Amino acid sequence: MSDKDDLTVGIVGGMGPEATLDLFAKILGHTAARTDQEHLRLIIDNDPKVPNRHDAIAGRIPSVGPRLAATACGLERAGADFVVMACNTAHAFEADVRAALTVPFVSIIEETCNEVLRRVGGAASVGLLAAKGCLDAGLYQKALAGHGIEVVVPAETERFMKLLYAIKSGDRAAPVRAAMRGLAGGLVERGAAAIIAGCTEVPLVLSDGDLAAPVIDSTDVLARRCVAYARYREPLPAR
């Protein structure tokens, strides 16, 4: 570990770039700093050239695990004391990243599930807005099943993916926001006690307070945890 006052955060980013920028902004927002020097050091590799994660999960192209692992190792060499990925779906390749690092890896999936348990731990089900690759990999479903929580997802997967790519293209206009609220609201009507914004583009158009149920923003959860770990408020997860 580093001998600096704060730990340095390494961010595997670019999937997509605006979601990475959102994580950066939220880390800044959760950092109590009066001067530049009181902010955390962040090392961000914003690599939007990582091949499509959904295609890799489906087996249509080779695994992107080695590329993500190489990026993570580059962050470690640059001085990162722990590494995160600003993309939920990319965590399908988390094992490759962890195996390549000698510093801890902080999982957005694990941290968000812990937040779900904290906020609605007794719930029978929660809703999940996540990209197809994330759903196909069962990242949240597997993590929450052990706690007796069912994950419900929109039936209109293709509709969600169209919204996702609209957001990636820069469209955050009222129709996109309304459509995302509509998908999330449908999950609440099906009994979801909370909605997980399980794709880092979703919080760009959907916020806590938009629905009758809580919206758990995975990006915000990760940002808060990064600050807590970097400031030694809590011990880092074991490797």
Side-chain angles (χ1 to χ4, degrees), residues 1 81-83 94 98-99 101-107 110-111 114 225 229 234-239:
M1 286 298 177
D81 294 303
F82 65 95
V83 172
E94 178 181 330
R98 286 188 181 275
L101 291 170
T102 63
V103 297
F105 176 79
V106 175
S107 164
E110 181 179 341
E111 298 294 350
N114 288 340
R225 302 306 292 158
Y229 293 137
E234 296 186 35
L236 278 163
R239 284 198 65 253

Side-chain angles (χ1 to χ4, degrees), residues 40-94:
L40 300 176
R41 183 185 180 203
L42 308 178
I43 306 173
I44 303 172
D45 189 334
N46 187 71
D47 182 9
K49 306 301 185 184
V50 176
N52 187 289
R53 277 72 64 200
H54 314 294
D55 288 342
I57 290 167
R60 291 188 290 269
I61 63 172
S63 171
V64 298
R67 181 164 184 151
L68 296 174
T71 299
C73 287
L75 294 168
E76 180 178 351
R77 288 193 299 271
D81 294 303
F82 65 95
V83 172
V84 302
M85 286 197 294
C87 173
N88 285 266
T89 302
H91 283 66
F93 308 96
E94 178 181 330

Side-chain angles (χ1 to χ4, degrees), residues 143-179:
L144 290 171
H147 299 281
I149 298 177
E150 179 187 5
V151 173
V152 294
V153 302
E156 311 94 329
T157 304
E158 292 307 315
R159 184 181 175 204
F160 175 82
M161 292 303 293
K162 287 180 180 178
L163 288 175
L164 170 61
Y165 283 110
I167 298 165
K168 283 180 177 288
S169 72
D171 186 356
R172 302 186 204 173
V176 171
R177 294 177 181 275

Side-chain angles (χ1 to χ4, degrees), residues 5 9 15 26-27 39 53 63 67 96 109 124 127 130 135 156 166 185 192 197 218:
D5 289 341
V9 185
M15 304 172 285
K26 285 172 175 169
I27 290 174
H39 278 285
R53 277 72 64 200
S63 171
R67 181 164 184 151
D96 296 282
I109 307 295
L135 297 179
E156 311 94 329
S218 60

